[in-house]
């Protein structure tokens, strides 16, 4: 007689065989010598970050640190600059926080903790950062954002970072979260937009222990509501590695500040000027339209990207940008709080002008996000089938999540939404395989192991940094790398037979993160890319024809030409 | 014993009619601090999962009238009293009291179907959507043929973002019940969220066939038309919805979106200004309602709600706020002041019918208060009912000045 188990096993096996293959293999990021062995819950060599106490008594402890991906040593592979925080007790004693750490990549995806000239002194409480070549020397410099003075690190010819905060023109104190480099005025020099959160002073704000702030009946840390938001800042680049605060002429004084968390750069209206989209927590998101000469106007409401479909402000955390419906205009995706939905602002040209509306429901992105609290997110073709996908890293702000009546959990699974074309998505049921839920925060995805597909990192607050190796990309890919400081804002277009795609080059990662200045394209089963065209911000145009795709991926590096100007700005 | 069982059935039927509207407010489950109470009441620390199942088969024939005598004979003591308290508490929006009563019932009769059904509705009103879903599931586990009574389960699924399951549940409910506007509205919203705008429009039209002035359905219809790209029709629909619900910012928001889309920027900006005022007021209202959720008897907050509603001139909102204030006050001075506010609010708005009803209510609630009759004499005169005014004056004289 057959047992019940013997009857069930074939069914179970069938189920396993039918489950979609995972897209990512998730594992704690392990680097010899970089680990803090005091944390028992993660492997011995796992890299972890500090962000206050696990109890989360203060809002400063909640958001976690930052992930900046770029080629710092100029060896052609993507390195990592990891930014992390401190503890309220250390700040109270005027002690520095944890230092940012550089992890250099050997090209095959093996990282080592960089020492010597790459060692960066600790600031007060690191949050995120931005990457760009601020002095035009061809190497990647970094801005580290802090609760405290922001910092500028100049890359010393790929040999290490040198701090140049003092005479940089940066260093405004406050709580900065995310930042973006862009050439706002078309002068070929990078400018900097810094997103800032709120005025935080533990001496003036009650701690969770005071039980003054309540969420679903549970005492939690206070904020952001009830606290004072801080205005964002804009710094005009001087070209020599220094900046001038130009917030006033930018137009920042014309709007009420929000609780800023994320930022992306994108030419939203395709007028050749880079615009900025800022996600604000519990306050309307801002869309800064570039008017030229360093002047911007805030048009979030008029463009339909400030609020959700019901006209309500949401928790605005991370941002992803890309043309998900293939209409030639960028669409915007914003992660939000649990109980809210992640907003997907799709462009439309139905009327007489470019407008956006929150189409998250019709796009099938809303429902699966309601129980989750999203942070880091990125829109890219992770499975390389020719359609843009979305990755969302989740985790609640309150350790109390999971208590009775909260309808959510503190640790949450990350999600991938596979693009189906026309702005529609389906949640991948097993994108991260058997990875456990984490209290996720910032994330950044790029080709870490040189195989052409997109891998990534995510920060787990009070836990490990997680590494996601892409093991499920089924199609082929083209990676376009752009050389110079002037590549930010370039529009890269790719043609394969009847299909065309485009990307805009940016290093702004959406939430406390930075990405390489490159453009990744999934091209399905194609063996050849017919044409690549780059419209540089300067007006110059580059074109490369007939790129063969061998072993699943191709990589081209394109420098800006000196001539062949078209549509000068 | 059969009369006892019968009363249970009556009780259950009454409770099945409990309103669990899929209101616009519930669509946004407030989720950040500024919350509901400084302490989580004990009854909410318990999870519905804490009540284990025991002998669920006992209730297989609960809804069979022929079996009621037999079942009633086995009911544990206190079950009926507990259910009566739960029903009364629900009607008065004293949800914590109701939940305590239900817990006491479930302790002695772990699978008692009416208790789980009412618990579903009560958890829903307490914005504990996962618990509401669990309660409905427990009900259906013992009474699977009673799906017609569980449209609240669809609401819970919807609010948790489980739109496909919500749609399937609404459809299943509709197969077993009369054409209910509330269920059709829920179905339409689930379809809207699933991107099935054409189907949503069809079901919204069915809701509006029975209730052409349903402001909520009108607003959702406008939203659906907007999603479908019928921008001019969406604008028209939004404006109609705004007429029927002038305190709701959402139709104004949809109108603003449609106007921007149509390139009528000046008009859109005017709507935007209007929307800003309404949204601020609605945000204040939501905050007050959040504070009243667990502790509804707070007259000062109820009074703030009335002030907020009066500023919108939305008759529906004003009526609801005055009703809350009425429920918050006990006989005596506080009841009198609530009655006075009601009559004077309606008189101030020129709403004669509502003012008349409020004055009649004042006569009933404050019959022993001389001051009430003194004022009623003035109110009735203002309403042109001189006979009642004279009677009120006489009553005042009979009772003697305060």
């Amino acid at each position: 007689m057959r047992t019940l188990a013997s009857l069930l096993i074939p069914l179970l096996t069938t189920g396993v065989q039918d489950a979609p293959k995972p897209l990512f293999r998730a594992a704690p990021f392990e680097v010899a010598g970089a680990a803090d062995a005091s944390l028992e819950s993660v492997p011995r060599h796992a890299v972890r970050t500090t962000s206050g106490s696990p109890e989360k008594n203060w809002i400063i402890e909640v958001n976690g640190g930052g992930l900046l991906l770029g080629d710092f040593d100029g060896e052609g592979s993507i390195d990592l600059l990891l930014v992390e925080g401190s503890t309220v007790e250390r700040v109270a004693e005027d002690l520095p926080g944890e230092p940012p750490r550089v992890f250099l990549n050997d090209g095959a995806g093996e990282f080592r903790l960089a020492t010597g000239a790459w060692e960066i002194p600790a600031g007060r409480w690191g949050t995120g950062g931005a990457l760009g070549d601020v002095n035009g020397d061809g190497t990647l410099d970094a801005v580290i954002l802090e609760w405290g003075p922001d910092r500028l690190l100049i890359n010393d010819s790929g040999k290490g970072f040198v701090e140049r905060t003092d005479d940089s023109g940066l260093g405004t104190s406050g709580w900065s979260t995310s930042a973006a480099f862009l050439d706002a005025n078309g002068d070929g020099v990078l400018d900097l937009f810094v997103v800032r959160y709120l005025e935080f002073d533990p001496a003036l704000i009650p701690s969770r222990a005071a039980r003054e702030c309540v969420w679903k009946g549970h005492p939690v840390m206070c904020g952001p509501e009830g606290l004072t938001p801080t205005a964002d800042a804009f710094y005009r680049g001087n070209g020599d590695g220094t900046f001038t605060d130009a917030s006033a002429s930018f137009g920042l004084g014309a709007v009420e500040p929000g609780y800023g968390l994320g930022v992306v750069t994108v030419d939203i209206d395709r007028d050749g000027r880079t615009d900025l989209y800022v996600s604000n927590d519990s306050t309307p998101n801002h869309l800064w339209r570039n008017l030229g000469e360093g002047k911007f106007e805030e048009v979030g409401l008029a463009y339909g990207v400030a609020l959700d479909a019901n006209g309500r402000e949401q928790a605005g955390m991370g941002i992803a940008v890309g043309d998900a419906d293939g209409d030639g205009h960028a669409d915007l995706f914003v992660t939000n709080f649990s109980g809210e939905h992640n907003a997907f602002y799709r462009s439309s040209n139905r009327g007489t002008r470019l407008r956006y509306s929150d189409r998250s429901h019709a796009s099938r992105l809303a429902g699966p996000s309601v129980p989750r609290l999203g942070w880091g997110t990125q829109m890219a073709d992770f499975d390389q089938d020719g359609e843009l996908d979305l990755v969302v890293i989740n985790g609640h702000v309150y350790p109390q999540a999971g208590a009775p009546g909260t309808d959510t959990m503190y640790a949450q699974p990350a999600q991938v939404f596979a693009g189906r074309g026309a702005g529609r998505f389906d949640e991948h049921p097993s994108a991260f395989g058997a990875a456990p839920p984490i209290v996720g925060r910032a994330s950044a995805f790029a080709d870490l192991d040189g195989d052409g597909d997109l891998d990534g990192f995510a920060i787990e607050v009070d836990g490990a940094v997680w590494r996601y190796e892409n093991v499920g990309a089924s199609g082929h890919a083209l990676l376009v790398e752009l050389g110079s400081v002037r590549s930010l804002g370039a529009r890269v277009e790719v043609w394969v037979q009847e299909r065309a795609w485009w990307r805009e080059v940016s290093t702004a990662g959406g939430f406390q993160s930075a990405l390489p200045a490159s453009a990744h394209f999934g091209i399905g089963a194609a063996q050849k890319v017919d044409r690549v065209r780059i419209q540089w911000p300067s007006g110059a145009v580059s074109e490369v024809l007939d790129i063969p795709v061998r072993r699943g991926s191709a990589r081209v590096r394109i420098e800006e030409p000196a001539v062949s100007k078209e549509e000068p700005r | 014993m059969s009369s006892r069982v019968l009363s249970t059935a009556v009780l259950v039927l009454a409770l099945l009619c409990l309103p669990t509207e899929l209101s616009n407010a519930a669509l946004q489950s407030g989720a950040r601090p500024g919350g509901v109470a400084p302490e989580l009441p004990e009854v909410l620390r318990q999870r519905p999962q804490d009540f284990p199942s025991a002998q669920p088969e006992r209730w297989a024939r609960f809804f069979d009238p022929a079996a009621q005598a037999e079942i009633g004979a086995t009911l544990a003591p206190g079950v009926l009293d507990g259910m009566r308290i739960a029903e009364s508490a629900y009607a008065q929006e004293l949800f914590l009291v109701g939940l305590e009563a239900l817990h006491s019932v479930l302790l002695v009769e772990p699978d008692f179907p009416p208790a789980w059904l009412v618990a579903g509705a009560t958890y829903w009103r307490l914005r504990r959507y996962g618990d509401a879903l669990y309660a409905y599931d427990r009900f259906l586990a013992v009474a699977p043929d009673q799906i017609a009574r569980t449209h609240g389960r669809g609401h819970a699924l919807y609010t948790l973002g489980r739109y496909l399951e919500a749609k399937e549940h609404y459809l299943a409910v509709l197969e077993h019940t009369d054409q209910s506007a509330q269920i059709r509205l829920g179905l339409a919203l689930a379809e809207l969220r699933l991107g099935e705008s054409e189907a949503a429009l069809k079901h919204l039209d069915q809701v509006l066939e029975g209730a052409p002035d349903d402001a909520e359905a009108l607003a959702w219809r406008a939203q659906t038309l907007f999603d479908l790209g019928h921008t001019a029709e969406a604008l028209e629909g939004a404006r109609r919805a705004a007429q029927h619900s002038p305190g709701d910012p959402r139709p104004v928001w949809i109108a603003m979106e449609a106007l921007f889309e149509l390139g009528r920027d000046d008009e859109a900006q005017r709507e935007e200004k209007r929307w800003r005022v309404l949204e601020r007021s609605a945000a204040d209202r939501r905050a007050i309602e959040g504070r009243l959720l667990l502790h509804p008897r707070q007259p000062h907050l109820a009074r703030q709600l009335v002030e907020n509603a009066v500023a919108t001139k939305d008759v529906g909102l004003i009526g609801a706020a005055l009703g809350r204030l009425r429920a918050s006050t006990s006989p005596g001075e506080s009841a009198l002041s609530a009655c006075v506010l009601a009559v004077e609010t309606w008189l101030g708005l020129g709403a004669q019918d509502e003012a008349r009803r409020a004055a009649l209510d004042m006569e009933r609630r404050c019959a022993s208060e001389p001051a009430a009759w003194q004022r009623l004499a003035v109110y009735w005169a203002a309403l042109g009912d001189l006979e009642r005014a004279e009677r009120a004056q006489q009553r005042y004289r009979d009772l003697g000045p305060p």
Side-chain angles (χ1 to χ4, degrees):
Chain A
M1 186 179 157
R2 296 176 71 185
T3 63
L4 181 62
S6 70
L7 290 168
L8 282 174
I9 284 168
L11 293 173
L12 293 170
T13 313
T14 307
V16 169
Q17 283 169 345
D18 289 343
K21 194 177 146 193
L23 191 53
F24 294 106
R25 182 185 298 134
F29 178 44
E30 295 191 61
V31 176
D36 177 351
S38 67
L39 194 68
E40 290 176 7
S41 60
V42 297
R44 199 163 65 87
H45 292 301
V47 177
R48 59 160 299 191
T49 59
T50 297
S51 185
S53 71
E55 291 77 23
K56 305 300 170 217
N57 291 319
W58 314 89
I59 192 168
I60 186 68
E61 301 175 305
V62 165
N63 295 357
L67 294 162
L68 316 184
L69 294 181
D71 181 5
F72 304 127
D73 57 6
E75 292 193 353
S77 54
I78 302 303
D79 310 308
L80 166 67
L81 202 170
L82 180 64
V83 181
E84 57 179 311
S86 183
T87 65
V88 173
E89 293 74 23
R90 284 164 74 167
V91 171
E93 291 172 29
D94 215 13
L95 295 171
E98 295 293 338
R101 281 174 284 175
V102 173
F103 296 90
L104 295 176
N105 188 342
D106 70 356
E110 288 297 319
F111 287 81
R112 67 177 171 87
L113 178 63
T115 53
W118 290 110
E119 289 180 63
I120 303 166
R124 186 197 202 195
W125 189 307
T127 57
L131 296 176
D133 179 2
V134 302
N135 52 7
D137 69 350
T139 60
L140 205 50
D141 309 305
V143 164
I144 304 293
L145 304 172
E146 301 261 347
W147 171 44
D150 297 330
R151 307 162 65 193
L152 177 64
L153 306 175
I154 295 292
N155 192 321
D156 179 16
S157 307
K159 293 183 217 141
F161 281 123
V162 179
E163 179 145 12
R164 288 273 187 265
T165 304
D166 287 348
D167 51 0
S168 68
L170 303 179
T172 309
S173 201
W175 182 353
S176 305
T177 50
S178 296
F181 278 113
L182 71 161
D183 181 3
N185 51 7
D187 64 355
V189 174
L190 289 186
D191 311 302
L192 179 69
F193 186 88
V194 179
V195 177
R196 308 209 297 168
Y197 198 42
L198 53 82
E199 290 178 19
F200 178 75
D201 182 347
L204 302 176
I205 297 170
S207 117
R208 184 182 64 89
R211 305 176 69 89
E212 287 189 20
C213 295
V214 173
W215 170 69
K216 298 196 174 189
H218 305 279
V220 293
M221 58 83 184
C222 290
E225 286 155 345
L227 307 182
T228 306
T230 313
D232 299 333
F234 175 71
Y235 299 94
R236 194 180 60 240
N238 299 324
D240 57 357
T242 67
F243 294 85
T244 302
D245 188 338
S247 302
S249 56
F250 179 95
L252 278 162
V255 299
E256 284 184 28
Y259 300 114
L261 283 179
V263 63
V264 291
T265 59
V266 58
D267 181 2
I268 207 89
D269 50 6
R270 296 196 59 186
D271 65 352
R273 301 188 188 105
T274 303
D275 310 299
L276 288 154
Y277 183 60
V278 178
S279 56
N280 289 318
D281 189 354
S282 311
T283 41
N285 299 322
H286 290 153
L287 175 60
W288 289 102
R289 195 165 77 93
N290 192 336
L291 304 174
E293 298 177 353
K295 292 184 172 55
F296 287 70
E297 65 170 341
E298 204 288 300
V299 293
L301 203 60
Y303 272 64
V305 295
L307 305 165
D308 76 355
N310 291 312
R312 303 261 180 91
E313 57 222 13
Q314 296 183 291
M317 309 297 223
I319 312 171
V321 61
D323 181 6
D325 54 9
D327 69 349
H329 287 280
D331 307 301
L332 297 162
F333 177 77
V334 181
T335 54
N336 288 309
F337 211 83
S338 62
E340 300 175 342
H341 63 269
N342 291 340
F344 178 58
Y345 299 102
R346 249 184 91 181
S347 59
S348 76
N349 276 304
R350 290 200 307 242
T352 56
R353 53 183 279 186
L354 177 66
R355 272 280 294 169
Y356 284 77
S357 51
D358 175 8
R359 306 277 175 182
S360 47
H361 296 290
S363 299
R364 299 193 287 248
L365 291 165
S369 71
V370 171
R372 314 258 186 261
L373 197 164
W375 296 84
T377 180
Q378 205 163 316
M379 200 185 300
D381 190 355
F382 295 103
D383 56 11
Q384 301 179 167
D385 66 349
E387 304 293 348
L388 285 176
D389 315 306
L390 276 160
V391 65
V392 181
I393 304 298
N394 299 302
H396 215 280
V397 294
Y398 303 131
Q400 294 73 21
T406 56
D407 291 334
T408 185
M409 297 301 288
Y410 190 38
Q412 302 179 356
Q415 294 169 294
V416 169
F417 296 90
R420 299 295 182 223
R424 289 208 163 207
F425 297 84
D426 285 321
E427 185 177 5
H428 191 304
S430 54
F432 293 88
I438 62 168
V439 188
R441 294 293 186 262
S443 65
F445 287 74
D447 180 11
L448 300 179
D449 50 14
D451 64 358
D453 58 28
L454 298 176
D455 318 292
F457 287 110
I459 286 178
E460 178 180 18
V461 76
D462 301 317
V465 172
W466 284 78
R467 181 164 173 187
Y468 303 119
E469 183 191 355
N470 193 322
V471 292
S474 53
H476 300 165
L478 171 71
L479 191 68
V480 181
E481 295 170 329
L482 303 180
S484 78
V485 60
R486 292 145 69 97
S487 68
L488 297 192
R491 187 178 173 100
V492 183
E493 294 168 287
V494 164
W495 285 265
V496 175
Q497 294 170 351
E498 300 302 311
R499 287 208 66 177
W501 301 269
W502 67 273
R503 308 277 189 266
E504 192 170 311
V505 176
S506 171
T507 58
F511 171 72
Q512 297 191 172
S513 60
L515 303 172
S518 58
H520 172 270
F521 297 86
I523 55 170
Q527 304 283 343
K528 187 186 78 154
V529 172
D530 298 325
R531 184 179 166 212
V532 176
R533 180 181 187 273
I534 298 169
Q535 173 83 51
W536 297 84
S538 63
V541 173
S542 304
E543 201 162 80
V544 181
L545 302 176
D546 297 328
I547 301 167
V549 177
R550 298 192 183 93
R551 291 191 296 278
S553 68
R555 181 184 299 250
V556 289
R557 184 174 178 87
I558 302 174
E559 301 293 337
E560 183 179 13
V563 288
S564 178
K565 287 204 171 182
E566 195 178 277
E567 302 166 34
R569 288 169 60 178
Chain B
M1 192 54 71
S2 63
S3 64
R4 185 178 166 195
V5 175
L6 187 63
S7 69
T8 307
V10 169
L11 183 75
V12 169
L13 289 171
L15 288 165
L16 295 179
C17 300
L18 297 177
T20 52
E21 291 88 359
L22 193 56
S23 69
N24 188 31
L27 298 180
Q28 303 291 312
S29 51
R32 279 160 275 154
V36 289
E39 288 283 350
L40 190 65
E42 188 56 39
V43 69
L44 291 181
R45 288 182 201 278
Q46 273 188 296
R47 296 171 190 259
Q49 290 87 338
D50 295 340
F51 297 93
S53 179
Q55 294 183 291
E57 64 284 357
R58 252 185 85 193
W59 312 104
R61 296 175 62 212
F62 181 80
F63 290 93
D64 177 358
Q68 288 191 342
E70 184 191 331
I71 294 168
T74 64
L75 275 183
V79 167
L80 282 182
D81 286 344
M83 291 306 298
R84 281 197 194 94
I85 292 168
E87 178 190 29
S88 167
Y90 189 98
Q92 296 175 64
E93 302 198 346
L94 296 167
F95 302 119
L96 294 183
V97 174
L99 202 55
E100 275 174 18
L102 292 168
H103 282 185
S104 70
V105 169
L106 291 169
L107 275 176
V108 294
E109 293 289 8
D111 292 295
F112 190 54
W116 281 115
L117 190 60
V118 181
T122 304
Y123 278 124
W124 162 262
R125 294 298 300 271
L126 285 165
R127 301 183 189 173
R128 294 170 74 100
Y129 307 113
D131 290 345
L133 179 61
Y134 179 82
Y136 283 117
D137 284 345
R138 285 288 293 268
F139 171 75
L140 285 172
V142 289
D145 56 341
Q146 299 299 315
I147 192 169
R149 304 175 194 277
T150 62
H151 70 274
R153 182 176 183 274
H155 295 355
L157 285 163
Y158 176 92
T159 314
L160 290 166
R162 293 161 64 174
Y163 304 129
L164 185 59
E165 291 168 85
K167 175 188 157 182
E168 286 166 353
H169 188 74
Y170 287 129
L171 286 171
V173 172
L174 278 170
E175 278 180 24
H176 293 86
T177 188
D178 294 338
Q179 306 295 300
S180 156
Q182 196 50 229
I183 302 169
R184 286 209 181 279
L185 181 61
L187 174 60
L189 297 197
E191 288 165 336
L192 185 64
R193 300 313 194 193
L194 288 165
E196 299 167 5
S197 301
E198 298 282 2
L201 196 60
K202 188 183 100 184
H203 288 119
L204 286 167
D205 284 341
Q206 287 174 353
V207 173
L208 289 165
E209 272 172 27
D213 297 333
D214 184 322
E216 199 175 347
L218 284 169
W220 284 115
R221 188 174 188 278
Q223 173 78 62
T224 310
L225 287 166
F226 182 77
D227 281 0
L228 284 166
H230 306 317
T231 314
E233 283 177 74
L235 175 62
E236 191 188 327
R239 287 190 160 152
R240 203 171 140 218
Q243 279 171 5
H244 290 287
S245 181
D248 185 358
R250 220 165 58 81
V252 183
W253 169 263
I254 299 166
M256 182 202 81
E257 289 256 284
L259 285 163
F260 271 127
E261 190 95 7
L262 291 166
R264 291 156 63 179
D265 286 14
D266 290 347
E267 289 172 83
Q269 277 156 9
R270 279 199 293 276
E271 293 290 350
E272 181 192 326
K273 279 184 190 149
R274 207 172 131 214
W275 167 78
R276 279 185 193 279
V277 173
L278 289 173
E279 177 55 29
R280 202 169 300 132
S281 168
D284 291 345
R285 212 158 46 237
R286 288 194 294 271
I288 298 168
E289 282 166 355
R291 292 169 67 189
L292 286 167
L293 184 67
L294 298 187
H295 303 285
R297 298 291 179 263
Q298 299 186 70
H300 71 288
L301 288 180
R303 201 172 279 272
Q304 284 177 26
L305 214 48
V306 174
E307 286 166 16
N308 176 297
V310 168
T312 68
K313 298 191 169 54
D314 186 319
V315 173
L317 287 177
I318 295 167
L322 286 169
R324 262 188 180 277
L325 178 62
R326 185 185 188 280
S328 300
T329 53
S330 46
E333 200 174 322
S334 65
L336 175 60
S337 71
C339 287
V340 167
L341 183 61
V343 182
E344 293 187 356
T345 296
W346 292 125
L347 281 173
L349 292 167
Q352 300 269 313
D353 289 347
E354 285 83 358
R356 189 177 300 276
R357 274 194 290 274
L360 286 170
D361 182 56
M362 185 169 169
E363 285 189 351
R364 279 191 299 273
R365 284 197 88 198
C366 305
S368 61
E369 298 281 340
W373 292 106
Q374 187 183 25
R375 284 174 177 271
L376 277 163
V378 178
Y379 298 153
W380 285 123
L383 286 163
D385 192 335
L386 298 180
E387 197 182 320
R388 282 186 187 275
E390 177 55 36
R391 227 184 304 156
Q393 191 64 40
Q394 183 58 49
R395 195 72 196 275
Y396 172 64
R397 283 195 292 270
D398 292 347
L399 287 170

